[in-house]
Amino acid sequence: MSDATLHATSQNPDDFAVQIADQVESFLVAVTEVAKGDEPGSTVPFLLLEVSQLLLAGGRLGAHEDFVPDERYEPDLGPEPDVDELRENLARLLDPVDVYSEVFDPYAPSKAPVPARISDDIADLITDLRHGMAHYRAGRTTEALWWWQFSYFSNWGPTASAVLRALQSVLIHVRLDQPLEELDGLDTDQEPMGDDLLEREAGRVMEEEIGTPLGIRQVQ
């Protein structure tokens, strides 16, 4: 299925696969446009909106019965498209709020927060979603739905949820005029750290220093 036929009028717009593919494609297109940096002041709000809408598709996939691919082995799709440029552009646009801390499993006791990057996580989302879209465009609809559902549970669902919380936190701190703690010097190459060390690494950054560069708080 080519790009030209992805939204062909012969397709039933009420079909579950068509709706999921539309939501996935909308996310891919929108985030690619955001990463171009034409409206840097709207990066955080736009990403918040797009990730929220993507998670709606994920929730529908998660609630659906398991999809079973038509073939036993997944067809070879060739090399994955490069996402390094998108990742680097997002990292530049999101500085200085790109790095955040996340607990991967809220039901696992005594798990310390680990550092992550919004730009890395969104690039991972793009990779997972493009993989399924390649199957969909090739006409392998069941394979696409299986991949999107499987990777929702195994990777992009939890990742998108973590990114959503991070983006929400940025806007909450700015809109409510609350100081935002920056993970000063913390990087994703470091090992997971306990609460005490994480607190020592964190620096205080006033909302003006975060909101104004991102265009989500106007200078008084």
Side-chain angles (χ1 to χ4, degrees):
M1 184 177 297
S2 67
D3 291 339
T5 61
L6 182 59
H7 300 291
T9 56
S10 61
Q11 292 181 287
N12 183 354
D14 294 327
D15 185 76
F16 182 81
V18 174
Q19 293 175 357
I20 295 298
D22 281 347
Q23 290 180 283
V24 169
E25 184 187 36
S26 176
F27 179 83
L28 294 173
V29 171
V31 172
T32 300
E33 289 300 313
V34 170
K36 292 179 180 178
D38 294 336
E39 298 185 51
S42 300
T43 300
V44 170
F46 280 165
L47 290 178
L48 177 68
L49 176 62
E50 295 304 326
V51 174
S52 297
Q53 292 177 335
L54 176 64
L55 282 171
L56 173 60
R60 296 181 66 194
L61 286 165
H64 201 284
E65 62 184 9
D66 289 349
F67 291 99
V68 179
D70 297 327
E71 302 178 33
R72 182 176 180 182
Y73 299 103
E74 182 182 12
D76 184 16
L77 295 174
E80 298 284 355
D82 184 71
V83 294
D84 286 343
E85 182 178 0
L86 181 142
R87 178 188 290 108
E88 292 169 1
N89 287 344
L90 287 177
R92 174 178 51 81
L93 291 167
L94 291 166
D95 184 67
V97 296
D98 193 24
V99 177
Y100 70 101
S101 61
E102 169 64 9
V103 176
F104 286 107
D105 188 348
Y107 287 99
S110 303
K111 287 292 185 180
V114 296
R117 289 184 180 274
I118 297 175
S119 56
D120 287 345
D121 288 346
I122 291 181
D124 286 344
L125 297 180
I126 293 289
T127 299
D128 274 348
L129 297 172
R130 280 178 176 173
H131 188 90
M133 185 59 74
H135 285 303
Y136 186 83
R137 286 173 173 155
R140 296 187 291 269
T141 301
T142 304
E143 187 80 32
L145 290 172
W146 171 83
W147 171 259
W148 283 326
Q149 185 185 61
F150 168 76
S151 56
Y152 168 74
F153 287 123
S154 63
N155 186 49
W156 74 258
T159 299
S161 297
V163 169
L164 180 66
R165 288 194 299 272
L167 294 169
Q168 284 177 327
S169 181
V170 174
L171 288 177
I172 287 170
H173 281 286
V174 172
R175 298 286 175 83
L176 299 183
D177 293 323
Q178 296 174 349
L180 182 64
E181 291 186 355
E182 181 187 40
L183 301 181
D184 188 17
L186 181 63
D187 202 349
T188 52
D189 293 333
Q190 292 176 315
E191 294 295 326
M193 57 183 61
D195 292 341
D196 292 341
L197 182 55
L198 185 65
E199 183 177 357
R200 289 198 299 271
E201 292 286 347
R204 301 291 289 181
V205 177
M206 298 304 292
E207 66 270 14
E208 291 87 352
E209 297 177 36
I210 300 298
T212 300
L214 293 176
I216 51 181
R217 185 182 189 276
Q218 295 183 358
V219 179
Q220 302 296 326

